[in-house]
Amino acid sequence: MRIFLGILVGLIGGFVLGIALSSFIGVLGMILFNEPVGIKYLSYFTAIICAIVVPIMDQKSLKSDK
């Protein structure tokens, strides 16, 4: 159950992080190049990466607490 919660938190957090990062890249592109710059499907990529990384980090933190 703990792993499932970690995956779920990673998916939601990664998706939100991807949206924020995409917006930041778009604004930076407008400032530097006067045209919107971005990475297509960035929020989906970050959601998948975070869904993998968060449970791994959680398991490592449990092992180090013992």
Side-chain angles (χ1 to χ4, degrees):
M1 185 69 178
R2 188 173 178 102
I3 293 174
F4 177 73
L5 268 169
I7 291 171
L8 193 62
V9 167
L11 279 172
I12 294 169
F15 189 76
V16 172
L17 176 71
I19 291 172
L21 190 60
S22 179
S23 297
F24 178 73
I25 292 171
V27 169
L28 195 64
M30 286 297 291
I31 291 171
L32 295 176
F33 306 120
N34 285 336
E35 62 183 53
V37 178
I39 301 171
K40 198 171 190 180
Y41 306 119
L42 179 64
S43 56
Y44 298 115
F45 293 141
T46 56
I48 292 170
I49 291 169
C50 288
I52 294 169
V53 170
V54 168
I56 292 172
M57 289 176 55
D58 183 47
Q59 291 296 319
K60 285 186 179 183
S61 71
L62 283 177
K63 289 179 183 178
S64 67
D65 289 341
K66 291 182 180 179

